[in-house]
Amino acid sequence: MRHWILWAPLGLFLLFFGVVASGLISPTDTQITSKMIGKPVPAFTLAAAVPERPGLSSAALAQGKPRLLNVFASWCIPCIAEAPVLMELKRRGVVIEGVAIRDRPQDLQQFLKRNGNPYASIGADPQSSVQFALGSSGVPESFVVDGKGIIRHQHIGDIRPEHIPGILAAIEAAR
């Protein structure tokens, strides 16, 4: 009988470890829901991040046409992977606005030269204040904004080819 009691703590530890590991391997909820969905884009005005594109303001996002607001940076590796997909979305008629966080104009220009420029405008967000106001936790991250400036959809991470139908559907739903 005593022999069994000595192994009980190890058994309880293994049971606890198994429960935690199963929750980490296949969590019940993998969807992150933004608190900004259904709310207006926070008020902001950003200077132009590069000379060849105008800056960006929240007022420009409420001019009657849905848009994709993309938070990105030239130093972001997933942003490089996302660039061709953004070019495809632009080709399909999606208006894309950019918020460049913590970046230098010369680095952004090189990034856009190498990877293409799908942006109608790019605002410089050197302190990430607009990024944080949007509730964005990293780059890249994108928001579908309807024609009234209301956030209708949030996409966390890089947009991949398999995400294009969902982004197009969110843009269409925002009309």
Side-chain angles (χ1 to χ4, degrees), residues 46-57:
L46 296 175
V50 292
E52 57 271 11
R53 291 289 190 266
L56 181 64
S57 70

Side-chain angles (χ1 to χ4, degrees), residues 18-54:
V19 169
V20 170
S22 70
L24 290 174
I25 292 169
S26 56
T28 57
D29 185 15
T30 59
Q31 185 69 21
I32 299 171
T33 306
S34 172
K35 302 291 184 215
M36 295 300 292
I37 303 293
K39 295 184 180 175
V41 171
F44 68 87
T45 300
L46 296 175
V50 292
E52 57 271 11
R53 291 289 190 266

Side-chain angles (χ1 to χ4, degrees), residues 66-170:
R67 299 160 189 277
L68 185 67
L69 179 62
N70 180 248
V71 180
F72 77 105
S74 67
W75 43 263
C76 162
I77 302 301
C79 296
I80 295 168
E82 179 182 61
V85 179
L86 292 178
M87 293 299 289
E88 175 62 20
L89 286 169
K90 178 184 177 183
R91 190 188 69 70
R92 293 187 185 200
V94 175
V95 177
I96 304 171
E97 312 289 357
V99 174
I101 64 158
R102 300 182 184 266
D103 229 325
R104 299 181 316 170
Q106 61 271 28
D107 294 336
L108 279 170
Q109 285 176 310
Q110 287 300 313
F111 175 85
L112 297 171
K113 184 178 177 182
R114 277 191 314 271
N115 302 297
N117 188 346
Y119 303 103
S121 61
I122 305 172
D125 190 10
Q127 303 301 318
S128 295
S129 57
V130 171
Q131 177 193 19
F132 294 142
L134 287 166
S136 170
S137 60
V139 290
E141 196 160 335
S142 299
F143 301 85
V144 172
V145 180
D146 71 12
K148 296 177 183 173
I150 308 295
I151 297 172
R152 297 297 174 190
H153 176 77
Q154 180 180 13
H155 183 89
I156 298 171
D158 57 319
I159 299 172
R160 298 179 184 159
E162 61 267 22
H163 300 137
I164 289 176
I167 295 294
L168 292 174

